[in-house]
Amino acid sequence: MSMNNDTKTEKSVESRQKIRSSALLDQFGRTFDYVRIAVNEKCNLRCIYCMPENGVPFKPENNLLNPDEIKQLVNILASLGVKKVRFTGGEPLLHNDIIELIQTAAFTPGIRSVHLTTNGVLLKSKISELQDSGLTGVNISLDTLDSEKFEQITRRKNLYNVMSGLDAVLASGRFKTKLNVVVMRNFNEDELDRFVGMTKHRDIVVRFIELMPFDSQQIWKTGKFYGADQIIRDIKNAFPHLVIDKGSRTEHNIYRIPGYRGKIAVIPSYSRNLCGACNRIRITADGKILNCLFSGQETSLIDRLRGGASDGEIAELIKTAMWHKLENGWQAQKTGEEQRNSMTQIGG
Ligand code: SAM
Ligand code: SF4
């Protein structure tokens, strides 16, 4: 490297370190302004790629963040430049205080949008409270439109409730709405066109997501993985008029069928070729910060919150955790176990 390049590198490291004092940044120049918080671990479904029939060893309630701690973290994160909050789980609509959490996050200075990722089963029953909560967006997880297959994948008979939840969300007209579809070989890859068809009259984004190795039964190893490239090929074959569209910072494969109201996204969550644009911070239900979905390096915040650490000290812990994020998910994976027992521990 020439002297000139050396000086440039030093300067850019110096300037990044300066910014580091006020924002969430890492060594590779990424900034983090989006937090996903798992509010619980429990769920009313048992998706085969996520949880065994008997659940996972759920932690005692007292070991999970309580609502005040969640609100405190949102506040600290907002002071560090976080603008977007997503509540997930487990199933966040099972949390008794979810509406209050959404309201508080929505009113936190600096937070511009609050989102929910839900399996949709309880959506219809909560819709009026959600409408007035300040919630911006709802992602509903739905892998099949066939009631028998729904029962196979979730081990419960709830397709009707999920569809009514989706209808209620769309009828309210208040929320950005997305469907999360985990695509699996020999299970639902033959339903891609039906899901794309849902974008014809509905203002939704249907997101096709790659299966990830986060389940204790390792469904992932049974040949069900169906890659993003293949998904894109399939939908291009079925819809030759598909055009490229724009999405959020980590959604690069966005498409639309001319004349349709909604959009389609393909998320390479396992292939991991979007790590350079990652802006996400993850907080687990038991109060750990995770700087990458695939990382095994967690920093416990709950112990420090309960040990009386100041907001400033918690902010420093968060900054340090994010600063040490590795360059991509492949490197991060080497720091952890090869598999996790369930996505409920991370929130997806
Ligand atoms: N219960 C809520 C739901 O299902 O939307 C929120 C939590 S769930 C863990 C969040 C997301 O993670 C869901 O969209 C789910 O499909 C996804 N997910 C869980 N396990 C997964 C896996 N092994 N591979 C890919 N996605 C997974
Ligand atoms: Fe529950 Fe969501 Fe996991 Fe399915 S993916 S078992 S709905 S937490």
Side-chain angles (χ1 to χ4, degrees):
M1 197 185 274
S2 72
M3 280 290 281
N4 214 359
N5 273 345
D6 276 348
T7 324
K8 260 195 204 158
T9 311
E10 274 162 28
K11 277 209 171 136
S12 75
V13 169
E14 206 179 292
S15 76
R16 276 189 208 149
Q17 269 163 352
K18 255 190 213 152
I19 304 173
R20 193 191 160 195
S21 59
S22 59
L24 286 172
L25 192 80
D26 74 6
Q27 305 169 65
F28 303 97
R30 289 172 292 203
T31 48
F32 304 96
D33 58 5
Y34 168 22
V35 67
R36 303 169 63 100
I37 304 178
V39 295
N40 57 7
E41 293 184 342
K42 292 199 172 144
C43 190
N44 43 2
L45 299 184
R46 289 287 182 273
C47 303
I48 58 161
Y49 50 71
C50 182
M51 268 207 240
E53 173 63 50
N54 297 330
V56 287
F58 297 114
K59 297 189 182 70
E61 284 295 305
N62 192 38
N63 293 16
L64 305 184
L65 289 170
N66 65 38
D68 287 339
E69 289 162 344
I70 294 175
K71 290 177 201 166
Q72 189 180 350
L73 283 178
V74 170
N75 218 9
I76 296 170
L77 285 157
S79 74
L80 292 169
V82 167
K83 298 181 182 68
K84 173 173 173 182
V85 176
R86 175 174 304 280
F87 291 119
T88 172
E91 174 46 44
L93 290 180
L94 286 177
H95 193 293
N96 288 337
D97 300 299
I98 190 66
I99 303 294
E100 196 192 319
L101 287 172
I102 295 169
Q103 283 167 341
T104 312
F107 280 103
T108 302
I111 299 298
R112 293 192 192 150
S113 66
V114 182
H115 304 251
L116 191 67
T117 297
T118 169
N119 60 33
V121 173
L122 296 172
L123 258 180
K124 192 173 178 194
S125 62
K126 303 260 183 203
I127 197 71
S128 56
E129 290 171 278
L130 288 169
Q131 275 181 173
D132 299 324
S133 66
L135 187 69
T136 321
V138 183
N139 285 17
I140 302 172
S141 305
L142 176 64
D143 303 329
T144 178
L145 297 168
D146 175 290
S147 55
E148 278 175 27
K149 280 160 81 177
F150 184 90
E151 193 178 343
Q152 279 169 31
I153 201 81
T154 66
R155 303 189 181 98
R156 299 289 183 271
K157 296 180 197 273
N158 273 312
L159 179 61
Y160 177 79
N161 290 347
V162 180
M163 294 307 285
S164 317
L166 170 64
D167 290 344
V169 163
L170 291 175
S172 82
R174 297 269 186 101
F175 312 107
K176 286 187 180 170
T177 310
K178 299 185 181 182
L179 276 194
N180 285 354
V181 184
V182 177
V183 183
M184 287 158 279
R185 188 179 298 282
N186 297 330
F187 178 71
N188 61 356
E189 88 271 37
D190 59 344
E191 289 189 69
L192 300 188
D193 52 348
R194 280 185 82 190
F195 277 109
V196 172
M198 290 180 77
T199 65
K200 188 166 189 177
H201 300 296
R202 295 177 181 87
D203 185 11
I204 56 175
V205 182
V206 170
R207 294 157 33 105
F208 295 119
I209 299 175
E210 286 179 345
L211 183 64
M212 289 180 275
F214 300 140
D215 71 289
S216 58
Q217 296 173 322
Q218 286 292 275
I219 297 302
W220 193 81
K221 285 187 181 154
T222 62
K224 288 208 158 14
F225 178 78
Y226 204 75
D229 291 347
Q230 185 62 49
I231 298 171
I232 294 170
R233 272 197 296 277
D234 289 357
I235 53 177
K236 280 187 176 162
N237 278 339
F239 299 92
H241 302 302
L242 200 72
V243 292
I244 294 176
D245 208 308
K246 285 196 194 112
S248 68
R249 198 164 124 191
T250 47
E251 289 177 339
H252 286 206
N253 308 309
I254 312 290
Y255 305 96
R256 171 170 68 72
I257 315 272
Y260 283 27
R261 280 187 79 191
K263 292 182 189 180
I264 302 127
V266 182
I267 317 287
S269 36
Y270 181 75
S271 309
R272 282 165 270 182
N273 49 14
L274 298 179
C275 298
C278 184
N279 62 345
R280 296 169 178 196
I281 305 153
R282 293 183 153 83
I283 308 279
T284 62
D286 61 347
K288 292 172 181 148
I289 182 166
L290 203 58
N291 63 19
C292 172
L293 187 54
F294 290 88
S295 173
Q297 291 174 345
E298 302 165 332
T299 305
S300 176
L301 301 176
I302 200 169
D303 299 340
R304 301 297 300 275
L305 284 168
R306 292 184 184 177
S310 67
D311 284 4
E313 286 165 335
I314 300 289
E316 280 310 314
L317 272 181
I318 296 174
K319 282 202 245 173
T320 305
M322 296 315 296
W323 180 255
H324 291 292
K325 181 177 167 83
L326 295 175
E327 193 167 8
N328 57 49
W330 297 102
Q331 290 182 16
Q333 192 170 344
K334 292 184 198 151
T335 66
E337 305 153 43
E338 197 189 318
Q339 63 172 79
R340 276 179 186 271
N341 276 340
S342 173
M343 194 72 119
T344 55
Q345 297 166 339
I346 325 172

